[in-house]
Amino acid sequence: MRILVTDGVAPEGVEVLRQEAEVEVTGPLREEQLLELIGEYDGMMVRSATRITARCIGEARRLKVIGRAGVGVDNIDLEAATRKGIVVVNAPGGNAVAVAEHAIGLLLCLARKIPQAHQHVKSGRWERSRFLGKEVRGKTLGLFGLGRIGSEVARRALALGMRVLAYDPAVSPERAIATGVTPAEPAEILSTADFISLHVPLTPDTRGMIGAEAISRMKPGVCLINCARGEVVDEGALVRALQEGKVAGAALDVFSSEPLPPGHPLLGLDNVILTPHLGASTAEAQASVAVETARAILAVLRGELVPNAVNAPAPAPEESRQLAPLLPLAEMLGRFAGQWSEGMIRGVRVAWAGEVSSLDTRPLLNAVLKGMLRPLLQEHVNAVNAPLLARERGIRVTEVRADDTDGYPSGITVSTSSSRGERAVGGSLSARGEPRLVRIDGYRIDVSPADFMLVCPHIDQPGIIGHVGTILGKAGVNISGMQVARQIRGGEAIMVLGMDSPAPADALAEIARVEGVLSVRPVYLR
């Protein structure tokens, strides 16, 4: 495996990569430089300086994973990476403490005007009355975002004796209360908070969320801290509010354009504290995010599930271990169902039964879609881009929780619908953890999947099984396993064969002509 590392990633992370891969380390790369290199690597690790554009991803012939040694992935074209099936991972927890400490430091600087007082003394003056501050004890801190960083900020603010209100639509009220904060809606935070600190990702919903309208609803004299993303704040609206005194002070570590251009209005305001994107800039944080990202990159290259994938399902580590043996089963069922279905697939329904139904089934669903689409499409399909490719082809995907596990601890049933009807295939794991086919349409079976299989619906009458075996034998095809299932004696039945090699087309045609054979369908799982 070859991995390209840019942007001055901490050496601790590089050393982790070198335990399993060949690593090349460079400084920040311009697009033209990256275009020349990217095609030769299986993985990349960057910080924020190198931009991985859609054009670069188009040249990434071998690339399977991009790691961002930090939280934000603004410098990576996520849509292009997803379409190409490249996993993007980050390090959401490695710098949480560093950013939280920086936010609290900025809060205290705003409250006590520490940077302005420092510069005042350095200039040879001593006018103490100019820097009358306020205590943070008893004041209200409003948090937008209660993820890893927001939670760390909350803990420190509570230790300072502050009241903390928090809004995060992804965090349940119970979890917020367990952190020690009071869940609140944005309107309450804006109108009551003495300090507001932002810890949200940059999304279409959060871009410009602190603009003129939000500022107009803030408590007069509020102080604003932003250690998230610069574009979350409308800087023009903030400048006006600072000049008018509606916002008493702002401490900003991030900006819509970095570095700030000369003459930017923020540079001329005395009630603003500015730092050059230092939130994660501690030796400890840089080492931590580099190691966390490196481990995730290697895990992806080993084919493992990772909890910090940005564009793929990211179950918790404990669930990942439970899901791991079910992934080959899910992919096999998807592959089987896609070939067993007749006509163009319009809908896919996956039923989870037993123990699997209580797990995070997103990785399993992606594996089903990967298995189903890979034999049908010319382009590269994997668990990252399979849902996108299914949507683009108008395939409706649904999930349900079911009861029937066919006697196994967990069961998965994949049903397809098309213009020519519905088909279903079910599977489970054996006691040894091996995938088993346990149902085809309405027939119960128990078959070990083979690379080459043949499914033959027929009338339950003497001689058909032997006739089919004879035809395959004459064609030089060895049968590795076989099972027949029926619902009633003399009615319709199904024959499932495992073979050591594919059946030739003329042999399949001859089987189809056998009296009593209803159809014959090869299913190749390799």
Side-chain angles (χ1 to χ4, degrees), residues 419-431:
S419 57
R420 301 183 63 181
E422 297 185 358
R423 289 287 175 85
V425 57
S428 297
L429 294 179
S430 69

Side-chain angles (χ1 to χ4, degrees), residues 205-218:
D205 289 334
T206 63
R207 185 181 295 274
M209 62 178 283
I210 303 300
E213 195 275 333
I215 292 172
S216 71
R217 297 161 64 189
M218 290 181 184

